Amino acid sequence: MADRFAAARAQGFVGRQAEVEAFRRILADARGAVVHVHGSAGIGKSTLLHQFAWLATRAGRPVTVIGQESFVPTDPVVRTDPASRTDPASRTEPAARAEPAPPGGSAISRLATLPPVAPGSLVLVDVPGAVLAAEGLLAHLPDDSVLALADREPPPLAWRTDPAWLGLLHPMPLAPLDPTDSAELLKRRGVPEAEHPNVLAFTHGHPLALALMADVRVHGSRGSTSPVSPPRVVNTLLAALLDAVPTPRHRAALEAYAQALVTTEPLLAALVGVPDASDLFEWLCTLSITEYGARGIHPHDLARSVLDTELGWRNPTRRTDLRRRASTYYQQLFTEGDRARQRAVLADFAYLHRDSPLAGPLLAPVTASGAAGSTHLDALSITAVEETELPALLAMAERYEGPESARLLRGWWGRPAATWAAVGAQARPYSPAGFYLLLTLGAEDLDDPAVIADPGTAAAADWLSRHGELRAGERALLVRAWLARDTYQDVSAVQTLITLRLTHHYLTAEQRPALTLLPFADPEFWSAGCAYTDFHRLPQADFTVGGRPYGTFVHDWRRTPPLAWLGLLCERESSAHPLAVAAPDGPGDALRVLDAETFAAGVREALRGLGRAGGLRGSVLLHSRAVASRAGRGAGPDDRAASLSALLRETAAELQAAPRDRRAHRALHHTYLQPAGTQQRAADLLGLPMSTYRRHLAAGVSRLTEELWRRELDS
């Protein structure tokens, strides 16, 4: 029966080609060695040791298995102090402390009994804490033996730095199986190929998870491979991945850091609602499921899937609340002025939308950045384009869009309105992997010959001109071109990084655009994602270059400014019908983009209605940004009227404080703010001839309009 087990395990073994080949070389070397297999729970350490035994037997080597009974148990097991666990690349000598032994077996301290070990044997030790007794065990083994250990932690630092271990120690860290090996495992276990994508998406190549999901499919009910359908799989994986969760606070910390792309100590405190989360953060750092990055910690992919799925069916309300808290935390960062931090956190914000049926498919490079073979966003950077790089970028454009497109784009090089940026790997030698070209257009640029000569800008300029969309001092941002070298405008890491950088520009530029116009070569594919992010289809700005049509979308940042836009996305993320969540101002109270002339007329009308009950209810200024930002989201007509009244009086008071405007303010005051009844009475109160009074009043209205218009543009 033991031989049948061994043969079945060998036949069902999948993947680990590099580890198996390395072990074959160790056997062929015929010298002593210590093979240290390490990785998280369920990653396949024991399976690999069984395969080593099979290979050793076929090579004629004796195999000895040393189990738990060969060691003296002890209560504590020495583990790395969490305070010393940082990014693995910068670890120092750890401080040791005693912790309870993990479930499933006592920790070990020293060897008690040892079975006879023949020369040339393979000795397998697969018990918790076996590494602690390895040095003592080696003293009892023939010098040509191979000792194979399995542990969750990497080899001790002393082993990796002590010259005595050089050439003897062979660390073998185990990662999840790649998609090909994962699919082969499922195939061998009888899972139909049509069901592989759902299983692979949930398991992330984790062998135990793959085996459990296959077991549900083969021995459970058909169609039950959806990750939300088998709670017993989730519970089994949680038990395997986590030794213990000490308190409900620690459970809350686990649930929280499974929702965020990267967790820092301040973010964790915000998610769990405590002023200081240092103890919880340190505990998360001790877990074998925790991985480290330059910006913080995160659970490995399977652990995240399991924790998120379990919370999703156990307490969906808490799951939604955690994502809302994360969104609020990220939004607050955009009020602090740290541009580098804001840029980094945009991927974190986007990650919260991974489950959206509209935006989720477009966020694959963010959600799968840890998957085998994927390009991590952190490996890419965006830099200003040098003239020497321009030919390579134009060659990309010509490859996908034709020579006419490349010629038109070349015409924008060196122009003040144009901003060129290249995407490339941070590693050297640098090679551009994509680029984008931004054009900033003011009202004075719309009839520029260069703008009119380019169909891509002419269409946008024509729409802006005909609709009077730009007021004095405002700018429209046109993304004239964007693409990735290998994938053009398909979803990719380059495309995602461009999207995040453009978003950062919209939110934090010193002069934020009034509107953003964004063209696509395949507008139908991007329409759902654009609708989710409040970019509206604008057929009037479509254009054709080189026989290829492009569809344009637009977002008006005056109607839905940056922080309100982030809040809108947060609301849509948690809604079952995201597009039913309207932008902050509903259709009945929609903001209007007012030009200077209409705004000035509105000020005069509002002053006349200021002293009458209900005199401001019909004012065009109720739909201005300055009034809306003062009244707050969801304010009704009466609240907006009150805000307009306060804004008029407050701005007039500022004129009173300026010596050169005091005479104008006095005329305003007695005519509109505290009216004398008639203009003649106002002139008499001021002791002025009617002509002088009217001149002062006109100056007061003009100065008040100027200050209110400045506030409108600032808003």
Side-chain angles (χ1 to χ4, degrees):
M1 187 64 71
D3 290 342
R4 286 184 58 187
F5 281 166
R9 284 179 177 137
Q11 185 177 2
F13 186 80
V14 172
R16 309 299 186 200
Q17 289 88 349
E19 290 80 5
V20 167
E21 289 305 313
F23 185 74
R24 290 183 189 275
R25 290 193 296 270
I26 292 170
L27 291 181
D29 194 37
R31 292 192 298 173
V34 175
V35 179
H36 189 286
V37 179
H38 60 93
S40 61
I43 201 66
K45 301 183 294 293
S46 298
T47 300
L48 184 58
L49 259 57
H50 284 304
Q51 186 68 8
F52 287 170
W54 171 262
L55 294 173
T57 300
R58 291 174 63 85
R61 292 248 194 168
V63 176
T64 300
V65 179
I66 299 180
Q68 185 79 31
E69 67 282 354
S70 298
F71 297 92
V72 175
T74 186
D75 290 333
V77 56
V78 177
R79 290 191 173 183
T80 301
D81 188 278
S84 71
R85 288 195 58 173
T86 58
D87 189 325
S90 60
R91 289 184 185 175
T92 57
E93 181 69 40
R97 69 175 186 179
E99 292 187 359
S106 302
I108 62 170
S109 60
R110 60 185 175 83
L111 191 67
T113 61
L114 180 67
V117 178
S121 292
L122 169 65
V123 180
L124 301 178
V125 181
D126 187 10
V127 295
V131 70
L132 300 174
E135 291 192 44
L137 181 59
L138 286 174
H140 299 281
L141 299 180
D143 61 1
D144 60 348
S145 298
V146 176
L147 174 62
L149 306 171
D151 197 4
R152 290 192 182 184
E153 298 294 333
L157 183 62
W159 291 17
R160 290 177 277 150
T161 57
D162 187 345
W165 286 89
L166 291 177
L168 179 66
L169 177 64
H170 299 269
M172 289 190 181
L174 295 190
L177 299 176
D178 63 32
T180 301
D181 289 335
S182 298
E184 179 63 23
L185 188 152
L186 294 176
K187 178 181 176 182
R188 294 189 185 187
R189 301 213 174 196
V191 178
E193 187 173 348
E195 298 180 14
H196 288 186
N198 284 340
V199 178
L200 296 178
F202 174 68
T203 58
H204 300 280
H206 192 278
L208 176 60
L210 288 164
L212 288 172
M213 294 293 279
D215 178 69
V216 169
R217 171 60 183 85
V218 175
H219 299 108
S221 59
R222 288 188 173 273
S224 59
T225 49
S226 168
V228 297
S229 63
R232 65 187 181 91
V233 169
V234 173
N235 290 334
T236 301
L237 288 171
L238 276 178
L241 294 171
L242 298 172
D243 290 342
V245 181
T247 68
R249 290 178 68 249
H250 292 79
R251 180 74 179 201
L254 270 176
E255 295 169 348
Y257 102 131
Q259 299 305 314
L261 180 63
V262 175
T263 298
T264 61
E265 192 174 304
L267 173 59
L268 184 63
L271 294 180
V272 299
V274 297
D276 182 4
S278 58
D279 60 326
L280 297 175
F281 188 81
E282 290 177 359
W283 175 74
L284 290 175
C285 289
T286 67
L287 301 180
S288 62
I289 64 173
T290 295
E291 297 181 352
Y292 301 82
R295 296 194 297 116
I297 62 172
H298 59 91
H300 64 62
D301 291 335
L302 174 70
R304 187 192 296 279
S305 289
V306 170
L307 289 166
D308 185 40
T309 299
E310 192 266 348
L311 182 63
W313 55 256
R314 180 172 54 83
N315 193 343
T317 301
R318 172 161 175 75
R319 184 171 179 260
T320 299
D321 181 61
L322 285 171
R323 295 191 181 186
R324 284 180 179 273
R325 292 187 183 191
S327 178
T328 300
Y329 178 84
Y330 299 144
Q331 291 177 59
Q332 289 173 346
L333 296 181
F334 283 91
T335 66
E336 297 176 359
D338 187 340
R339 292 173 62 84
R341 192 179 184 195
Q342 292 166 352
R343 190 158 51 232
V345 86
L346 276 173
D348 302 6
F349 184 86
Y351 186 72
L352 298 177
H353 301 262
R354 60 193 181 273
D355 294 329
S356 165
L358 301 178
L362 308 179
L363 296 174
V366 176
T367 59
S369 59
S374 65
T375 300
H376 199 289
L377 292 179
D378 292 342
L380 298 172
S381 63
I382 292 182
T383 57
V385 174
E386 302 290 341
E387 189 166 6
T388 55
E389 297 174 312
L390 189 60
L393 304 185
L394 295 177
M396 295 182 203
E398 183 171 354
R399 173 186 173 190
Y400 291 107
E401 299 180 349
E404 183 181 355
S405 176
R407 178 184 62 79
L408 292 170
L409 297 181
R410 178 66 179 84
W412 287 105
W413 178 257
R415 290 186 171 271
T419 301
W420 293 75
V423 182
Q426 293 186 7
R428 292 295 185 262
Y430 177 85
S431 176
F435 77 94
Y436 61 87
L437 168 60
L438 305 182
L439 298 178
T440 303
L441 303 176
E444 66 279 8
D445 302 315
L446 301 183
D447 56 357
D448 186 312
V451 172
I452 297 172
D454 182 348
T457 54
D462 180 64
W463 177 74
L464 291 168
S465 298
R466 285 189 291 105
H467 292 271
E469 287 291 331
L470 290 180
R471 302 174 296 191
E474 292 183 337
R475 295 289 184 269
L477 185 69
L478 171 64
V479 184
R480 175 59 185 86
W482 67 274
L483 58 88
R485 178 189 60 208
D486 300 326
T487 55
Y488 187 42
Q489 291 187 0
D490 291 342
V491 175
S492 68
V494 172
Q495 165 269 323
T496 300
L497 186 59
I498 290 175
T499 300
L500 295 177
R501 183 58 60 89
L502 290 177
T503 302
H504 183 258
H505 184 84
Y506 309 152
L507 300 180
T508 64
E510 291 184 5
Q511 185 178 11
R512 292 172 179 167
L515 305 104
T516 294
L517 291 96
L518 185 57
F520 294 92
D522 185 1
E524 292 304 315
F525 174 79
W526 292 98
S527 60
C530 285
Y532 183 86
T533 55
D534 203 41
F535 275 71
H536 304 283
R537 188 74 171 86
L538 186 65
Q540 302 95 310
D542 290 355
F543 60 94
T544 299
V545 171
R548 181 168 195 163
Y550 298 82
T552 301
F553 295 79
V554 64
H555 177 83
D556 191 328
W557 297 104
R558 299 161 301 187
R559 290 188 171 93
T560 309
L563 291 182
W565 180 73
L566 292 175
L568 171 65
L569 296 186
C570 179
E571 294 290 333
R572 287 182 170 178
E573 187 280 325
S574 59
S575 173
H577 304 285
L579 297 185
V581 179
D585 298 280
D589 294 314
L591 299 181
R592 289 181 57 186
V593 179
L594 305 174
D595 58 33
E597 183 178 349
T598 304
F599 189 89
V603 172
R604 294 191 295 270
E605 179 189 19
L607 287 172
R608 290 192 294 270
L610 189 60
R612 304 195 310 269
L616 298 179
R617 287 185 61 87
S619 173
V620 69
L621 298 185
L622 296 181
H623 304 283
S624 68
R625 172 56 60 188
V627 171
S629 61
R630 185 185 185 95
R633 180 176 178 180
D638 290 339
D639 292 330
R640 289 200 177 191
S643 294
L644 174 57
S645 174
L647 181 63
L648 291 168
R649 296 179 185 279
E650 179 184 293
T651 307
E654 292 179 1
L655 300 182
Q656 183 184 19
R660 70 184 183 91
D661 292 326
R662 283 175 184 165
R663 289 183 299 181
H665 171 267
R666 292 176 64 200
L668 278 175
H669 178 80
H670 289 294
T671 306
Y672 298 118
L673 305 178
Q674 191 172 340
T678 66
Q679 290 193 356
Q680 184 62 57
R681 288 181 184 176
D684 293 342
L685 283 173
L686 295 171
L688 297 173
M690 180 60 69
S691 60
T692 305
Y693 157 76
R694 286 176 175 169
R695 187 171 68 252
H696 288 180
L697 179 61
V701 173
S702 176
R703 286 288 295 121
L704 181 68
T705 302
E706 288 177 10
E707 289 302 310
L708 288 169
W709 179 246
R710 180 185 59 79
R711 291 192 180 209
E712 175 70 3
L713 293 182
D714 289 346
S715 299

